[in-house]
Amino acid sequence: MSTSTPNRGLNGSTSLRAPAATTLSSLLAQANSLNEVDYDSELPQIRFGIDDIERMSESVAGKGKRGKTDRGEGFNLLSNLGVNTSQLTHNIAQLPSAETSTRPRRRKHVPVPSRLEPLGDIGPSYAMSDGDIDAWGRNWHEMIILSGIEMQRQRTINSFQKQFQQRILQNWEVEKAKILQDELGVTDDELAGIIGSSGSTGLGSSASGRSALGASTRRFPMAQSTFGKPTSNESREGGLVMHTKMIRYERVIADLNQKRLRKEPFELCQAMEETVKGDSKYPTLPVSYHILAHLTHEPSLRDSADYASSSADGDAAPVQERQYATAYLGDVKSNKATLLRGRLVMGGRRFLERDFERHIDETIAKNPKEAALGGIPGIKNKIRAFVDVTLRSKDTREAYRPETVNGSLLWAQIYYLVRCGYIEEALSLVAENQQNLSKDDWSFPGCFKSALQSSERRLPKAQRDQLYNDFNAHIRNNPTVDQFKYALYKLVGRFELNRKTLKVATTTEDWMWVQLSLVRETKEADAPQEQYDLLDLGRLVSKYGSEKFDAGGTKPFAWFNLLLFTAQFEKAIAYLHSKPQLRTDAVHFAIALSYYGLLRVPSKGEEVELLTLDVSTDTSYLNFTRLMKQYIGPFFKVEPHSALQYAYLVALNSDVPGSIGQKQAQLCLELVRDVVLASRSWSKLLGSVRRDGSKETGVIERELKLLKLHDEQDYLHQVVLAAADQSSQDSSLTDSIELYHLAGSYDKVVETVNRALGHSLGQASTAPLQSDAASIGLSGAFGGASDIYGLAQTVHAVYEKDFAKRTRVSRSNWETLELLSQLKLALSQYAQDRYDLALETIKSTNLLPLNNDPGQISSYVQKFVNLLNQPVIKNLDEVVLTTMRCLHALSQELKQSPYGDHGRMVQLATYKHQSQCLIQFAGLMKIRLGEDVYRQLSSMSKWASS
């Protein structure tokens, strides 16, 4: 077996040479391990691989060779011109190389504040030669992309923060307006003044009250203001006029509610019209109520002389409460909605016709000589006289060019008969003069008769085509045509609906009558260019805007009436409410519309805005609850019964399908509850329970049907009990006790008394109630109580005598009431320095271990853990300290006694033992007792050991 001889070095030592493969493997392992160590800033970093270095070297070498050998055309040109190209080449080579720059020069730009700088720097790793342009470009491109992303991110953040701040400020302004109006009774004008003054008018200067409704008790909210300048005599007179109007309105509302209770129809619009007749400031106010009466087809109008025409509706059935709600609140494309709009159009047109007839009578009365109307004239003679008066001047004849037929202005008379609604008389007049008509108008009599006798005023296609041909041939472009004939042709044939104006319609009322005569709700058989219904008319009127008809705000009812005619009732009420002196009238117009079911309410009742618009459906909603709440805010405290009459009206909208109706019913109950709580007129509004158990019915209970409540239990739960819960949350002791008792929630009464007793254990026994219970007089059952302890005793006595009430009180609450009453008595005796009586009273409660049996202390501790209610546990500190003070005081009295008999020593030992038991009990209850309590017990226990 051979052995290998190791090689020796120069110094005589032996060394082993590792194989080449092993050396390379170790180098590779070491190189790989370098990637796993942490980055060290002091060590040089490898930036390029072998391939990169080789490629860059070849590039530089190739560039150098080209620089020495390549001679371009510029070099040859300069040489031929005598330039020393060798010296020039040398000078250029001496210039600083572009490689000294770490990165390309960027284009200058004007800095933008919102623009971000590029992220970081390209760094030394990009200090490469010109041959690596591709890598440099890719990296620089990535840096630009990252910079753009960062800039866009920052812009998004700034935009979000700006919008968030704007939304916060916007919501705050809305909430501030709601608080000022609902809580402080601030009117819209006062609110505008406060906001406009930029905070210069502080709320501290307001004399308004505070309540859940808007607590001002001002009776004239529309005329007086505590925020503005002192009111003048004129303002006070205006307030008196407004007060008188409000009182008269209240009578109508009271009559309305009585009719509703009896389920009898009530002509509300005409009743309100009678209320405001003679208004000197707004003489057109009764006219608006008269318009609404015609729109709703109140039956007495159909029986009056105003409807004594052949066009009157023969149906005289009364209009019931919420009669139009189903059609108005449902789908606008349904048959019921179509019929309702047709009914509204008919009512509006009839009002305009009756109004124009009164205008004819007034014109004839002012010009009796020119009219030459004698005897008892019929409608035809009245129209003839009116035409003679109005068309007698040369200017009017040139303007309208009336055509004479058989010696009379026939076309003018026919038009005015139609304008007044006398259809049969107009047909008769056409028939009488049919032979005298021009041959160009031979098709008109037949078409006129067919159109007016049709319920939709629709012509058969053949007749309409013939009439249209005659209209185009002889009338449309005829500059000398009779304008009344032109108007009749357009009305009968519904021609040129893109031009819906007539020269003879000179007033707003005439224009509206023409529009109502042209609208047609059943559009299925009409071509697209011939479709024109009430909704289209409403959009046309809205496009004109209020400025066109109420320039300067001097004619508010001109625009208001147009909105009524076009069935835009919510916008009409909101517009009228925007006028400070007309808000009372706006409220009662809203009541009339809500009574007939012609008012939409929003899905939520908490909206601050009075009017909301659903853009997707182009539907408006009016916050009727807010309207009522603001109206009764100034007087609901002083006149709760009148305020309740308005609060009942919120429940009118409870029949709206879905959750909206339920929400409106709940809002009505909440409004009634707020009125009850603010007025404190318990016996009058809610009734009372006498000491003998008999019950006196209150106003609200007699009017339960107005709240959409069905029985007494529903009333007690929804109104009385809810009011009691609210008063309990408001820490109103006597209110909540009386209301709980009235609602029959006797367990809640005892629980409330226990809570009040628990709070008052540390107070003097003479601490008064929060209000005088004897003066409230809600039920009379607790009227004799003068303090907390007396109230507890009265409640205990009343329920103990009545077994039915006693059984409805839980055992724990009843035992707690008795225990707290005893503790309250003991603390009262201690406050009067009757320590012996106080100690005996506490001992009688069996609450503390005072029976000198240390073995039962743990059972007393367990009693507190399992059995006793919170009011007792909450006052355990005070009870234990009072007991120890009584023992300490009685012991000191015995020690200071000059007598030293055996009985005194026995009693002193008893007190000592009781105090030790009490301290041991307190030690076991240390978690439930405060640190100060245990310290005081320890200090007072020193006498026991002495």
Side-chain angles (χ1 to χ4, degrees), residues 794-824:
T794 305
V795 170
H796 187 277
V798 169
Y799 290 170
E800 192 174 31
K801 294 177 182 178
D802 194 329
F803 180 76
K805 294 183 176 64
R806 170 66 183 83
T807 54
R808 295 174 64 179
V809 179
S810 65
R811 179 181 176 182
S812 60
N813 282 339
W814 186 258
E815 292 176 351
T816 303
L817 175 63
E818 294 178 336
L819 179 58
L820 290 173
S821 298
Q822 289 294 95
L823 293 177
K824 183 68 177 179

PDB file of all heavy atoms in Angstrom, residues 794-824:
ATOM      1  N   THR A 794     -97.521  57.787  48.904  1.00  0.00           N
ATOM      2  CA  THR A 794     -98.824  57.880  48.240  1.00  0.00           C
ATOM      3  C   THR A 794     -98.973  56.791  47.186  1.00  0.00           C
ATOM      4  O   THR A 794    -100.023  56.145  47.073  1.00  0.00           O
ATOM      5  CB  THR A 794     -98.981  59.267  47.592  1.00  0.00           C
ATOM      6  OG1 THR A 794     -98.785  60.280  48.578  1.00  0.00           O
ATOM      7  CG2 THR A 794    -100.359  59.417  46.988  1.00  0.00           C
ATOM      8  N   VAL A 795     -97.924  56.572  46.399  1.00  0.00           N
ATOM      9  CA  VAL A 795     -97.971  55.512  45.390  1.00  0.00           C
ATOM     10  C   VAL A 795     -98.173  54.157  46.055  1.00  0.00           C
ATOM     11  O   VAL A 795     -98.978  53.321  45.596  1.00  0.00           O
ATOM     12  CB  VAL A 795     -96.674  55.530  44.545  1.00  0.00           C
ATOM     13  CG1 VAL A 795     -96.582  54.292  43.661  1.00  0.00           C
ATOM     14  CG2 VAL A 795     -96.614  56.779  43.684  1.00  0.00           C
ATOM     15  N   HIS A 796     -97.465  53.933  47.150  1.00  0.00           N
ATOM     16  CA  HIS A 796     -97.594  52.661  47.869  1.00  0.00           C
ATOM     17  C   HIS A 796     -99.007  52.482  48.406  1.00  0.00           C
ATOM     18  O   HIS A 796     -99.598  51.375  48.310  1.00  0.00           O
ATOM     19  CB  HIS A 796     -96.568  52.618  49.009  1.00  0.00           C
ATOM     20  CG  HIS A 796     -96.491  51.299  49.703  1.00  0.00           C
ATOM     21  ND1 HIS A 796     -97.370  50.928  50.725  1.00  0.00           N
ATOM     22  CD2 HIS A 796     -95.650  50.236  49.535  1.00  0.00           C
ATOM     23  CE1 HIS A 796     -97.080  49.725  51.145  1.00  0.00           C
ATOM     24  NE2 HIS A 796     -96.036  49.268  50.442  1.00  0.00           N
ATOM     25  N   ALA A 797     -99.591  53.545  48.943  1.00  0.00           N
ATOM     26  CA  ALA A 797    -100.933  53.445  49.510  1.00  0.00           C
ATOM     27  C   ALA A 797    -101.980  53.216  48.426  1.00  0.00           C
ATOM     28  O   ALA A 797    -102.909  52.415  48.596  1.00  0.00           O
ATOM     29  CB  ALA A 797    -101.245  54.720  50.293  1.00  0.00           C
ATOM     30  N   VAL A 798    -101.837  53.924  47.281  1.00  0.00           N
ATOM     31  CA  VAL A 798    -102.838  53.793  46.211  1.00  0.00           C
ATOM     32  C   VAL A 798    -102.812  52.387  45.637  1.00  0.00           C
ATOM     33  O   VAL A 798    -103.870  51.762  45.424  1.00  0.00           O
ATOM     34  CB  VAL A 798    -102.569  54.843  45.113  1.00  0.00           C
ATOM     35  CG1 VAL A 798    -103.414  54.572  43.884  1.00  0.00           C
ATOM     36  CG2 VAL A 798    -102.849  56.241  45.640  1.00  0.00           C
ATOM     37  N   TYR A 799    -101.650  51.849  45.365  1.00  0.00           N
ATOM     38  CA  TYR A 799    -101.561  50.535  44.739  1.00  0.00           C
ATOM     39  C   TYR A 799    -101.829  49.406  45.732  1.00  0.00           C
ATOM     40  O   TYR A 799    -102.283  48.331  45.344  1.00  0.00           O
ATOM     41  CB  TYR A 799    -100.186  50.351  44.112  1.00  0.00           C
ATOM     42  CG  TYR A 799     -99.961  51.222  42.892  1.00  0.00           C
ATOM     43  CD1 TYR A 799     -98.711  51.361  42.306  1.00  0.00           C
ATOM     44  CD2 TYR A 799    -101.021  51.931  42.316  1.00  0.00           C
ATOM     45  CE1 TYR A 799     -98.508  52.151  41.192  1.00  0.00           C
ATOM     46  CE2 TYR A 799    -100.825  52.736  41.212  1.00  0.00           C
ATOM     47  CZ  TYR A 799     -99.576  52.850  40.654  1.00  0.00           C
ATOM     48  OH  TYR A 799     -99.392  53.637  39.562  1.00  0.00           O
ATOM     49  N   GLU A 800    -101.553  49.641  47.012  1.00  0.00           N
ATOM     50  CA  GLU A 800    -101.807  48.601  47.996  1.00  0.00           C
ATOM     51  C   GLU A 800    -103.296  48.384  48.214  1.00  0.00           C
ATOM     52  O   GLU A 800    -103.743  47.258  48.473  1.00  0.00           O
ATOM     53  CB  GLU A 800    -101.130  48.959  49.320  1.00  0.00           C
ATOM     54  CG  GLU A 800    -101.084  47.825  50.313  1.00  0.00           C
ATOM     55  CD  GLU A 800    -100.286  48.193  51.543  1.00  0.00           C
ATOM     56  OE1 GLU A 800    -100.279  49.392  51.914  1.00  0.00           O
ATOM     57  OE2 GLU A 800     -99.667  47.294  52.132  1.00  0.00           O
ATOM     58  N   LYS A 801    -104.077  49.438  48.048  1.00  0.00           N
ATOM     59  CA  LYS A 801    -105.530  49.327  48.213  1.00  0.00           C
ATOM     60  C   LYS A 801    -106.193  48.672  47.006  1.00  0.00           C
ATOM     61  O   LYS A 801    -107.270  48.099  47.133  1.00  0.00           O
ATOM     62  CB  LYS A 801    -106.130  50.708  48.437  1.00  0.00           C
ATOM     63  CG  LYS A 801    -105.698  51.366  49.743  1.00  0.00           C
ATOM     64  CD  LYS A 801    -106.284  52.761  49.859  1.00  0.00           C
ATOM     65  CE  LYS A 801    -105.822  53.457  51.140  1.00  0.00           C
ATOM     66  NZ  LYS A 801    -106.358  54.829  51.241  1.00  0.00           N
ATOM     67  N   ASP A 802    -105.590  48.822  45.836  1.00  0.00           N
ATOM     68  CA  ASP A 802    -106.177  48.303  44.590  1.00  0.00           C
ATOM     69  C   ASP A 802    -105.431  47.032  44.209  1.00  0.00           C
ATOM     70  O   ASP A 802    -104.281  47.077  43.758  1.00  0.00           O
ATOM     71  CB  ASP A 802    -106.081  49.344  43.480  1.00  0.00           C
ATOM     72  CG  ASP A 802    -106.958  49.013  42.284  1.00  0.00           C
ATOM     73  OD1 ASP A 802    -107.170  47.818  42.019  1.00  0.00           O
ATOM     74  OD2 ASP A 802    -107.398  49.954  41.609  1.00  0.00           O
ATOM     75  N   PHE A 803    -106.077  45.887  44.380  1.00  0.00           N
ATOM     76  CA  PHE A 803    -105.406  44.612  44.125  1.00  0.00           C
ATOM     77  C   PHE A 803    -105.051  44.453  42.645  1.00  0.00           C
ATOM     78  O   PHE A 803    -104.013  43.887  42.302  1.00  0.00           O
ATOM     79  CB  PHE A 803    -106.309  43.456  44.574  1.00  0.00           C
ATOM     80  CG  PHE A 803    -105.703  42.110  44.362  1.00  0.00           C
ATOM     81  CD1 PHE A 803    -104.701  41.641  45.211  1.00  0.00           C
ATOM     82  CD2 PHE A 803    -106.104  41.296  43.304  1.00  0.00           C
ATOM     83  CE1 PHE A 803    -104.120  40.394  45.014  1.00  0.00           C
ATOM     84  CE2 PHE A 803    -105.521  40.055  43.100  1.00  0.00           C
ATOM     85  CZ  PHE A 803    -104.534  39.605  43.961  1.00  0.00           C
ATOM     86  N   ALA A 804    -105.911  44.970  41.756  1.00  0.00           N
ATOM     87  CA  ALA A 804    -105.641  44.839  40.320  1.00  0.00           C
ATOM     88  C   ALA A 804    -104.366  45.579  39.935  1.00  0.00           C
ATOM     89  O   ALA A 804    -103.550  45.078  39.150  1.00  0.00           O
ATOM     90  CB  ALA A 804    -106.828  45.354  39.515  1.00  0.00           C
ATOM     91  N   LYS A 805    -104.192  46.772  40.494  1.00  0.00           N
ATOM     92  CA  LYS A 805    -102.967  47.526  40.199  1.00  0.00           C
ATOM     93  C   LYS A 805    -101.767  46.891  40.879  1.00  0.00           C
ATOM     94  O   LYS A 805    -100.671  46.844  40.314  1.00  0.00           O
ATOM     95  CB  LYS A 805    -103.133  48.978  40.650  1.00  0.00           C
ATOM     96  CG  LYS A 805    -104.168  49.782  39.886  1.00  0.00           C
ATOM     97  CD  LYS A 805    -104.191  51.221  40.356  1.00  0.00           C
ATOM     98  CE  LYS A 805    -105.141  52.082  39.537  1.00  0.00           C
ATOM     99  NZ  LYS A 805    -106.541  51.664  39.676  1.00  0.00           N
ATOM    100  N   ARG A 806    -101.973  46.409  42.103  1.00  0.00           N
ATOM    101  CA  ARG A 806    -100.858  45.814  42.852  1.00  0.00           C
ATOM    102  C   ARG A 806    -100.307  44.585  42.146  1.00  0.00           C
ATOM    103  O   ARG A 806     -99.083  44.353  42.111  1.00  0.00           O
ATOM    104  CB  ARG A 806    -101.355  45.441  44.254  1.00  0.00           C
ATOM    105  CG  ARG A 806    -100.394  44.604  45.085  1.00  0.00           C
ATOM    106  CD  ARG A 806     -99.137  45.381  45.417  1.00  0.00           C
ATOM    107  NE  ARG A 806     -98.197  44.541  46.145  1.00  0.00           N
ATOM    108  CZ  ARG A 806     -97.351  43.690  45.585  1.00  0.00           C
ATOM    109  NH1 ARG A 806     -97.304  43.579  44.253  1.00  0.00           N
ATOM    110  NH2 ARG A 806     -96.532  42.972  46.317  1.00  0.00           N
ATOM    111  N   THR A 807    -101.145  43.796  41.537  1.00  0.00           N
ATOM    112  CA  THR A 807    -100.686  42.591  40.853  1.00  0.00           C
ATOM    113  C   THR A 807     -99.934  42.893  39.566  1.00  0.00           C
ATOM    114  O   THR A 807     -99.234  42.014  39.045  1.00  0.00           O
ATOM    115  CB  THR A 807    -101.875  41.678  40.535  1.00  0.00           C
ATOM    116  OG1 THR A 807    -102.860  42.428  39.796  1.00  0.00           O
ATOM    117  CG2 THR A 807    -102.512  41.148  41.814  1.00  0.00           C
ATOM    118  N   ARG A 808    -100.063  44.093  39.043  1.00  0.00           N
ATOM    119  CA  ARG A 808     -99.361  44.460  37.823  1.00  0.00           C
ATOM    120  C   ARG A 808     -97.999  45.089  38.108  1.00  0.00           C
ATOM    121  O   ARG A 808     -97.323  45.538  37.192  1.00  0.00           O
ATOM    122  CB  ARG A 808    -100.214  45.422  36.994  1.00  0.00           C
ATOM    123  CG  ARG A 808    -101.498  44.773  36.499  1.00  0.00           C
ATOM    124  CD  ARG A 808    -102.418  45.768  35.808  1.00  0.00           C
ATOM    125  NE  ARG A 808    -101.821  46.311  34.602  1.00  0.00           N
ATOM    126  CZ  ARG A 808    -102.435  47.201  33.807  1.00  0.00           C
ATOM    127  NH1 ARG A 808    -103.670  47.590  34.118  1.00  0.00           N
ATOM    128  NH2 ARG A 808    -101.828  47.662  32.744  1.00  0.00           N
ATOM    129  N   VAL A 809     -97.623  45.132  39.396  1.00  0.00           N
ATOM    130  CA  VAL A 809     -96.300  45.622  39.780  1.00  0.00           C
ATOM    131  C   VAL A 809     -95.442  44.412  40.120  1.00  0.00           C
ATOM    132  O   VAL A 809     -95.862  43.528  40.885  1.00  0.00           O
ATOM    133  CB  VAL A 809     -96.396  46.577  40.984  1.00  0.00           C
ATOM    134  CG1 VAL A 809     -95.008  47.067  41.382  1.00  0.00           C
ATOM    135  CG2 VAL A 809     -97.300  47.762  40.655  1.00  0.00           C
ATOM    136  N   SER A 810     -94.242  44.366  39.598  1.00  0.00           N
ATOM    137  CA  SER A 810     -93.362  43.227  39.857  1.00  0.00           C
ATOM    138  C   SER A 810     -92.967  43.186  41.332  1.00  0.00           C
ATOM    139  O   SER A 810     -92.914  44.217  42.025  1.00  0.00           O
ATOM    140  CB  SER A 810     -92.125  43.312  38.970  1.00  0.00           C
ATOM    141  OG  SER A 810     -91.356  44.452  39.302  1.00  0.00           O
ATOM    142  N   ARG A 811     -92.703  41.977  41.803  1.00  0.00           N
ATOM    143  CA  ARG A 811     -92.370  41.791  43.222  1.00  0.00           C
ATOM    144  C   ARG A 811     -91.087  42.521  43.593  1.00  0.00           C
ATOM    145  O   ARG A 811     -90.998  43.144  44.660  1.00  0.00           O
ATOM    146  CB  ARG A 811     -92.230  40.292  43.507  1.00  0.00           C
ATOM    147  CG  ARG A 811     -91.859  39.978  44.950  1.00  0.00           C
ATOM    148  CD  ARG A 811     -91.717  38.478  45.149  1.00  0.00           C
ATOM    149  NE  ARG A 811     -91.272  38.172  46.507  1.00  0.00           N
ATOM    150  CZ  ARG A 811     -91.036  36.958  46.956  1.00  0.00           C
ATOM    151  NH1 ARG A 811     -91.194  35.900  46.134  1.00  0.00           N
ATOM    152  NH2 ARG A 811     -90.641  36.757  48.203  1.00  0.00           N
ATOM    153  N   SER A 812     -90.090  42.460  42.718  1.00  0.00           N
ATOM    154  CA  SER A 812     -88.805  43.103  43.032  1.00  0.00           C
ATOM    155  C   SER A 812     -88.963  44.612  43.149  1.00  0.00           C
ATOM    156  O   SER A 812     -88.407  45.232  44.074  1.00  0.00           O
ATOM    157  CB  SER A 812     -87.772  42.752  41.965  1.00  0.00           C
ATOM    158  OG  SER A 812     -88.200  43.202  40.687  1.00  0.00           O
ATOM    159  N   ASN A 813     -89.722  45.230  42.244  1.00  0.00           N
ATOM    160  CA  ASN A 813     -89.928  46.677  42.312  1.00  0.00           C
ATOM    161  C   ASN A 813     -90.720  47.059  43.559  1.00  0.00           C
ATOM    162  O   ASN A 813     -90.454  48.100  44.180  1.00  0.00           O
ATOM    163  CB  ASN A 813     -90.654  47.164  41.061  1.00  0.00           C
ATOM    164  CG  ASN A 813     -89.729  47.284  39.870  1.00  0.00           C
ATOM    165  OD1 ASN A 813     -88.514  47.379  40.027  1.00  0.00           O
ATOM    166  ND2 ASN A 813     -90.291  47.251  38.673  1.00  0.00           N
ATOM    167  N   TRP A 814     -91.707  46.240  43.902  1.00  0.00           N
ATOM    168  CA  TRP A 814     -92.516  46.547  45.084  1.00  0.00           C
ATOM    169  C   TRP A 814     -91.677  46.443  46.363  1.00  0.00           C
ATOM    170  O   TRP A 814     -91.756  47.322  47.233  1.00  0.00           O
ATOM    171  CB  TRP A 814     -93.705  45.594  45.145  1.00  0.00           C
ATOM    172  CG  TRP A 814     -94.678  45.921  46.248  1.00  0.00           C
ATOM    173  CD1 TRP A 814     -94.808  45.298  47.449  1.00  0.00           C
ATOM    174  CD2 TRP A 814     -95.648  46.964  46.233  1.00  0.00           C
ATOM    175  NE1 TRP A 814     -95.798  45.884  48.194  1.00  0.00           N
ATOM    176  CE2 TRP A 814     -96.336  46.910  47.469  1.00  0.00           C
ATOM    177  CE3 TRP A 814     -96.005  47.931  45.306  1.00  0.00           C
ATOM    178  CZ2 TRP A 814     -97.369  47.793  47.784  1.00  0.00           C
ATOM    179  CZ3 TRP A 814     -97.027  48.797  45.631  1.00  0.00           C
ATOM    180  CH2 TRP A 814     -97.698  48.744  46.849  1.00  0.00           C
ATOM    181  N   GLU A 815     -90.871  45.403  46.496  1.00  0.00           N
ATOM    182  CA  GLU A 815     -90.015  45.258  47.666  1.00  0.00           C
ATOM    183  C   GLU A 815     -88.965  46.363  47.710  1.00  0.00           C
ATOM    184  O   GLU A 815     -88.624  46.863  48.797  1.00  0.00           O
ATOM    185  CB  GLU A 815     -89.347  43.887  47.665  1.00  0.00           C
ATOM    186  CG  GLU A 815     -90.318  42.732  47.873  1.00  0.00           C
ATOM    187  CD  GLU A 815     -89.626  41.386  47.775  1.00  0.00           C
ATOM    188  OE1 GLU A 815     -88.432  41.366  47.382  1.00  0.00           O
ATOM    189  OE2 GLU A 815     -90.262  40.367  48.093  1.00  0.00           O
ATOM    190  N   THR A 816     -88.462  46.741  46.558  1.00  0.00           N
ATOM    191  CA  THR A 816     -87.483  47.833  46.519  1.00  0.00           C
ATOM    192  C   THR A 816     -88.123  49.140  46.960  1.00  0.00           C
ATOM    193  O   THR A 816     -87.486  49.950  47.661  1.00  0.00           O
ATOM    194  CB  THR A 816     -86.906  47.979  45.108  1.00  0.00           C
ATOM    195  OG1 THR A 816     -86.317  46.741  44.707  1.00  0.00           O
ATOM    196  CG2 THR A 816     -85.857  49.071  45.048  1.00  0.00           C
ATOM    197  N   LEU A 817     -89.367  49.398  46.553  1.00  0.00           N
ATOM    198  CA  LEU A 817     -90.077  50.598  46.985  1.00  0.00           C
ATOM    199  C   LEU A 817     -90.206  50.649  48.506  1.00  0.00           C
ATOM    200  O   LEU A 817     -89.954  51.695  49.123  1.00  0.00           O
ATOM    201  CB  LEU A 817     -91.452  50.648  46.315  1.00  0.00           C
ATOM    202  CG  LEU A 817     -92.379  51.789  46.761  1.00  0.00           C
ATOM    203  CD1 LEU A 817     -91.770  53.137  46.398  1.00  0.00           C
ATOM    204  CD2 LEU A 817     -93.761  51.640  46.123  1.00  0.00           C
ATOM    205  N   GLU A 818     -90.588  49.539  49.108  1.00  0.00           N
ATOM    206  CA  GLU A 818     -90.718  49.500  50.564  1.00  0.00           C
ATOM    207  C   GLU A 818     -89.368  49.704  51.242  1.00  0.00           C
ATOM    208  O   GLU A 818     -89.252  50.426  52.243  1.00  0.00           O
ATOM    209  CB  GLU A 818     -91.346  48.170  50.990  1.00  0.00           C
ATOM    210  CG  GLU A 818     -92.783  47.998  50.516  1.00  0.00           C
ATOM    211  CD  GLU A 818     -93.358  46.643  50.912  1.00  0.00           C
ATOM    212  OE1 GLU A 818     -92.546  45.710  51.121  1.00  0.00           O
ATOM    213  OE2 GLU A 818     -94.588  46.530  51.011  1.00  0.00           O
ATOM    214  N   LEU A 819     -88.337  49.056  50.731  1.00  0.00           N
ATOM    215  CA  LEU A 819     -87.012  49.168  51.318  1.00  0.00           C
ATOM    216  C   LEU A 819     -86.473  50.586  51.203  1.00  0.00           C
ATOM    217  O   LEU A 819     -85.948  51.154  52.181  1.00  0.00           O
ATOM    218  CB  LEU A 819     -86.067  48.183  50.637  1.00  0.00           C
ATOM    219  CG  LEU A 819     -84.605  48.176  51.105  1.00  0.00           C
ATOM    220  CD1 LEU A 819     -84.522  47.879  52.593  1.00  0.00           C
ATOM    221  CD2 LEU A 819     -83.791  47.167  50.312  1.00  0.00           C
ATOM    222  N   LEU A 820     -86.594  51.192  50.009  1.00  0.00           N
ATOM    223  CA  LEU A 820     -86.099  52.555  49.831  1.00  0.00           C
ATOM    224  C   LEU A 820     -86.881  53.549  50.674  1.00  0.00           C
ATOM    225  O   LEU A 820     -86.316  54.545  51.147  1.00  0.00           O
ATOM    226  CB  LEU A 820     -86.172  52.939  48.348  1.00  0.00           C
ATOM    227  CG  LEU A 820     -85.189  52.228  47.420  1.00  0.00           C
ATOM    228  CD1 LEU A 820     -85.478  52.578  45.972  1.00  0.00           C
ATOM    229  CD2 LEU A 820     -83.753  52.586  47.767  1.00  0.00           C
ATOM    230  N   SER A 821     -88.160  53.308  50.853  1.00  0.00           N
ATOM    231  CA  SER A 821     -88.955  54.196  51.713  1.00  0.00           C
ATOM    232  C   SER A 821     -88.446  54.146  53.142  1.00  0.00           C
ATOM    233  O   SER A 821     -88.333  55.180  53.821  1.00  0.00           O
ATOM    234  CB  SER A 821     -90.429  53.794  51.653  1.00  0.00           C
ATOM    235  OG  SER A 821     -90.930  53.925  50.343  1.00  0.00           O
ATOM    236  N   GLN A 822     -88.136  52.959  53.614  1.00  0.00           N
ATOM    237  CA  GLN A 822     -87.607  52.833  54.962  1.00  0.00           C
ATOM    238  C   GLN A 822     -86.233  53.496  55.067  1.00  0.00           C
ATOM    239  O   GLN A 822     -85.938  54.170  56.067  1.00  0.00           O
ATOM    240  CB  GLN A 822     -87.501  51.350  55.340  1.00  0.00           C
ATOM    241  CG  GLN A 822     -88.835  50.660  55.570  1.00  0.00           C
ATOM    242  CD  GLN A 822     -89.558  51.222  56.781  1.00  0.00           C
ATOM    243  OE1 GLN A 822     -90.402  52.116  56.657  1.00  0.00           O
ATOM    244  NE2 GLN A 822     -89.217  50.709  57.950  1.00  0.00           N
ATOM    245  N   LEU A 823     -85.392  53.295  54.092  1.00  0.00           N
ATOM    246  CA  LEU A 823     -84.076  53.925  54.124  1.00  0.00           C
ATOM    247  C   LEU A 823     -84.181  55.451  54.055  1.00  0.00           C
ATOM    248  O   LEU A 823     -83.421  56.156  54.731  1.00  0.00           O
ATOM    249  CB  LEU A 823     -83.223  53.410  52.954  1.00  0.00           C
ATOM    250  CG  LEU A 823     -82.821  51.942  53.005  1.00  0.00           C
ATOM    251  CD1 LEU A 823     -82.043  51.560  51.756  1.00  0.00           C
ATOM    252  CD2 LEU A 823     -82.004  51.639  54.255  1.00  0.00           C
ATOM    253  N   LYS A 824     -85.103  55.940  53.240  1.00  0.00           N
ATOM    254  CA  LYS A 824     -85.318  57.388  53.178  1.00  0.00           C
ATOM    255  C   LYS A 824     -85.778  57.932  54.523  1.00  0.00           C
ATOM    256  O   LYS A 824     -85.327  58.999  54.982  1.00  0.00           O
ATOM    257  CB  LYS A 824     -86.359  57.705  52.097  1.00  0.00           C
ATOM    258  CG  LYS A 824     -86.624  59.188  51.893  1.00  0.00           C
ATOM    259  CD  LYS A 824     -85.416  59.875  51.303  1.00  0.00           C
ATOM    260  CE  LYS A 824     -85.711  61.348  51.026  1.00  0.00           C
ATOM    261  NZ  LYS A 824     -84.540  62.052  50.478  1.00  0.00           N
TER     262      LYS A 824
END
